Amino acid sequence: MKKQVLNGVKLLVFCILLSCNDREAIQAPVSDRIATDPYYNDSISNTNSQQRNPGPGGGVMMQAFYWDVPAGGNWYNTVKSKLASWDAAGISAIWLPPVSKAMNGPYSMGYDPSDYFDLGEYNQNGSVETRFGSKAELISLINTAHNYDIQVYADIVLNHNSGGQSESNPFTGTSTYTDFNPASGKFYRSASDFHPNNIVGYDEGVFGGFPDLSHSVPYVQDWLWNRSDGVGKYYKNVIGFDGWRFDYVKGFGGWVVREWNNNVGGFSVGEYWDGNAQKLQDWVNSTNRTSSAFDFACYYKMEEAFDGNDLTKLNGDMLWKRDAQKAVTFVANHDTDEIYDKMHAYAYIFTHEGYPTLFYKDYEEWLDKNKLNNLIWIHRNLATGNTSILYADNDEYIARRNGSPGVVVYLNDSNQWTERWIQTNWSNTIIKDYTGNSNWEPTTQGDQWVKIQCPPNSYSIWSVK
C-alpha cells in the first residue's frame, strides 16, 4: 500500500545441539561462524545449505526496500549485493517493491501501476527503467537469490491503476482517466474494466481516487491470473517470482486472492491493515486459506506493550495465536514504523509463532545487526512448538515454546535485573541463554522448574545447552 502520506535436517540439528554441550560459538555473531562451524551446515556441501534447510523453526523474510529508496535505477543491484550476507545470516525470502512501470516512471515506488508488463524495458512515463532498475537487472537479482535458495516475493497492486488517458465514460456520463494503452502491448484497459461498469457498480474499496480495477470483468480476470501469458503466470513462470505480497486487500474481495493463488500458485501474504485479529482471520478464511496475512493485531499489541511499558498487552488477541501458519509478523515496514522499542519487538516475533519479517532499514542501518543475526538463528534452530505464556506484568513477560528443543523467552522492560522461577519442558537439564545476555547455566529440577534472569531493558532466550 502507498505510504500514508494521505495520512530434513531437523533431526540432525537436534542431535548436534544436544550432543555439543561445550560449544560456545553459538554466542558469537552468526555471520562470523557459518563458514567454519559445522553446527551451522548440513550434509549438503554448499554455501547455500542455510536456505535449503531453514531449520525446524522456519524461515525469515526480509522486506528488501523502504519508502523512497534512492531513485536512479540501481536498487535491484543494491539488493543483489546484499544477498550473500543475508544468506549467511539466515534470510530465506525477500520481498521486493512493485516491479512494473507506474505513472510516475523513474520516481515512483510502484504503487501507482500503469503497465503491468513493463518491468523496466519500455520508454514510457518518463523513463525506460523503473525507479529500481531494468528488467534485466531484476531477473539477475532473482536468479542470484535463487542461487542462494532465497525466495523472491513480488508486491502486487491489483486494486487501482494510474496514468491512463482521459476518455468518455458511458457508465459515469463523465470523462475518466481509464484509457490505458501500455507500451508493452498487453492488457489494454478502458472504462468497462473499472468501476462502475455493466457488470457491477463497485467492489469493497477505492483507494486514493485512482481508477478502481474491476476483478468481476472476465477480461480483467484473464489478464491477471487466467492467461498463460497474463500478469501472474508471466511474473512466476518467466520472471521467476516465488510468491506475492498483495497490496491493499481491503479494496477487493478475498476471492480475488483465492483465484490468483489457485491459478498461479506461490506463497501469498495480504496487507489487510487492521488491528482486529478476528478481521484478519476472516480475511484469511475469505481466501479459502490460500493466503497468509500480515499480523497487524500483533504489531499494535507490541506497540502498546513495549512503548507503553505494559507487557500485559502481549496477552491480547493476535492472528498468530489464532492461526500461526497464516500469520506473517513484523516490527516495521515501508508504510508504518511506529514501534520505538524495536529490539524487544524483534525478540518477540523471532521467538513466537508466525513467519517473521525483517525491515531493511532496521537490519542494514538502524539496529545492531549481530543481535538480529542471533535472533534469526534462534528462530530457525530453536523456536519450535506451540506457545505457552508463563508470566506477564507491566515490566516482565515470559513465554515458552513447547517444541524440541524449544525456548523460553524472558523480556524485561524495567531498569533493573530481574529473576523468576518458571516451569520448562526440560527435566534435570542444563540450559543457557543463547543471546549471551546472561552467563547463567542453571540446571532444571526434576519437576522442570528453574530460575532464570534477564538484564534491564533487554531480553534473554533459554534452551538446552
Side-chain angles (χ1 to χ4, degrees):
M1 182 176 181
K2 287 189 174 181
K3 183 146 183 156
Q4 299 304 299
V5 174
L6 313 172
N7 193 311
V9 71
K10 298 180 182 177
L11 181 59
L12 177 62
V13 171
F14 295 157
C15 293
I16 296 174
L17 175 64
L18 294 173
S19 64
C20 298
N21 290 344
D22 61 347
R23 190 178 299 281
E24 297 299 326
I26 289 171
Q27 294 177 351
V30 173
S31 57
D32 295 341
R33 304 192 305 269
I34 289 176
T36 58
D37 192 338
Y39 182 81
Y40 298 94
N41 293 279
D42 57 23
S43 58
I44 300 174
S45 179
N46 190 296
T47 57
N48 304 335
S49 60
Q50 284 280 301
Q51 304 315 321
R52 291 192 171 93
N53 297 276
V60 175
M61 184 196 312
M62 170 73 77
Q63 180 176 358
F65 67 99
Y66 52 92
W67 195 260
D68 283 346
V69 301
N74 200 46
W75 188 249
Y76 292 145
N77 292 332
T78 297
V79 172
K80 180 179 173 181
S81 72
K82 304 288 186 183
L83 291 175
S85 62
W86 289 356
D87 173 66
I91 302 301
S92 55
I94 60 173
W95 155 27
L96 295 182
V99 296
S100 63
K101 186 70 63 64
M103 181 179 72
N104 289 318
Y107 307 106
S108 175
M109 285 296 296
Y111 292 93
D112 49 342
S114 178
D115 185 344
Y116 286 103
F117 292 91
D118 180 0
L119 308 187
E121 59 179 323
Y122 298 100
N123 188 0
Q124 64 178 331
N125 297 349
S127 68
V128 174
E129 293 188 340
T130 68
R131 182 188 190 104
F132 315 112
S134 67
K135 175 184 175 182
E137 290 166 339
L138 170 63
I139 292 174
S140 178
L141 163 59
I142 293 173
N143 289 341
T144 302
H146 288 166
N147 287 339
Y148 287 107
D149 276 357
I150 295 175
Q151 292 197 325
V152 185
Y153 305 150
D155 202 318
I156 301 294
V157 185
L158 297 181
N159 180 74
H160 49 274
N161 290 175
S162 188
Q165 300 301 306
S166 178
E167 65 176 341
S168 178
N169 189 326
F171 307 105
T172 64
T174 65
S175 292
T176 55
Y177 291 93
T178 49
D179 182 19
F180 287 81
N181 294 279
S184 66
K186 296 181 179 181
F187 197 12
Y188 291 93
R189 280 145 285 158
S190 65
S192 60
D193 302 313
F194 298 89
H195 295 115
N197 55 59
N198 62 342
I199 298 176
V200 63
Y202 57 90
D203 64 359
E204 283 73 4
V206 177
F207 182 79
F210 295 123
D212 189 42
L213 197 60
S214 179
H215 309 95
S216 298
V217 176
Y219 173 82
V220 173
Q221 296 176 12
D222 284 345
W223 272 110
L224 289 181
W225 60 73
N226 282 330
R227 293 174 59 126
S228 61
D229 60 345
V231 177
K233 293 174 184 177
Y234 176 69
Y235 281 28
K236 184 174 186 289
N237 300 330
V238 177
I239 304 304
F241 281 107
D242 305 288
W244 326 102
R245 179 267 186 188
F246 288 102
D247 179 69
Y248 189 58
V249 297
K250 281 189 173 183
F252 45 87
W255 68 270
V256 173
V257 172
R258 179 197 70 209
E259 289 302 305
W260 177 293
N261 290 336
N262 285 340
N263 283 277
V264 178
F267 171 79
S268 170
V269 58
E271 182 214 31
Y272 194 92
W273 194 330
D274 202 299
N276 185 308
Q278 179 64 61
K279 291 183 178 180
L280 297 173
Q281 180 72 81
D282 290 344
W283 183 82
V284 168
N285 292 341
S286 75
T287 73
N288 200 27
R289 291 182 52 76
T290 63
S291 184
S292 301
F294 283 107
D295 196 346
F296 280 93
C298 175
Y299 174 80
Y300 287 116
K301 290 300 180 186
M302 290 193 297
E303 182 189 19
E304 292 179 37
F306 300 129
D307 293 349
N309 194 35
D310 182 3
L311 302 194
T312 65
K313 297 295 185 181
L314 298 176
N315 289 324
D317 197 7
M318 306 176 193
L319 180 59
W320 74 257
K321 296 181 181 182
R322 293 168 168 262
D323 197 347
Q325 291 185 339
K326 297 299 182 181
V328 177
T329 52
F330 67 102
V331 174
N333 64 31
H334 65 293
D335 274 332
T336 183
D337 189 4
E338 300 179 16
I339 296 175
Y340 176 77
D341 188 359
K342 286 187 173 182
M343 285 310 302
H344 268 127
Y346 276 115
Y348 182 86
I349 69 169
F350 279 117
T351 53
H352 286 66
E353 293 165 77
Y355 184 4
T357 305
L358 262 173
F359 182 46
Y360 181 95
K361 280 268 192 176
D362 287 342
Y363 187 77
E364 290 293 339
E365 298 183 24
W366 292 339
L367 301 180
D368 187 321
K369 188 177 291 188
N370 285 330
K371 289 182 179 180
L372 291 171
N373 286 346
N374 174 252
L375 289 173
I376 293 169
W377 185 89
I378 289 170
H379 166 76
R380 291 176 57 142
N381 292 280
L382 304 177
T384 61
N386 59 18
T387 304
S388 299
I389 298 176
L390 304 181
Y391 182 83
D393 64 19
N394 284 355
D395 294 329
E396 298 175 63
Y397 171 89
I398 305 174
R400 182 181 69 222
R401 293 292 298 276
N402 297 306
S404 178
V407 299
V408 172
V409 55
Y410 192 167
L411 307 178
N412 178 11
D413 207 26
S414 75
N415 294 322
Q416 60 188 8
W417 280 85
T418 54
E419 301 174 1
R420 196 161 294 278
W421 281 91
I422 52 97
Q423 189 172 28
T424 71
N425 290 321
W426 313 300
S427 299
N428 303 312
T429 302
I430 299 174
I431 65 172
K432 62 183 289 185
D433 171 21
Y434 275 79
T435 71
N437 291 331
S438 169
N439 60 10
W440 278 14
E441 293 189 0
T443 300
T444 63
Q445 299 179 156
D447 59 3
Q448 301 179 328
W449 284 80
V450 70
K451 181 189 280 189
I452 58 176
Q453 66 173 186
C454 189
N457 297 303
S458 189
Y459 55 87
S460 55
I461 303 171
W462 305 79
S463 190
V464 294
K465 181 177 177 181

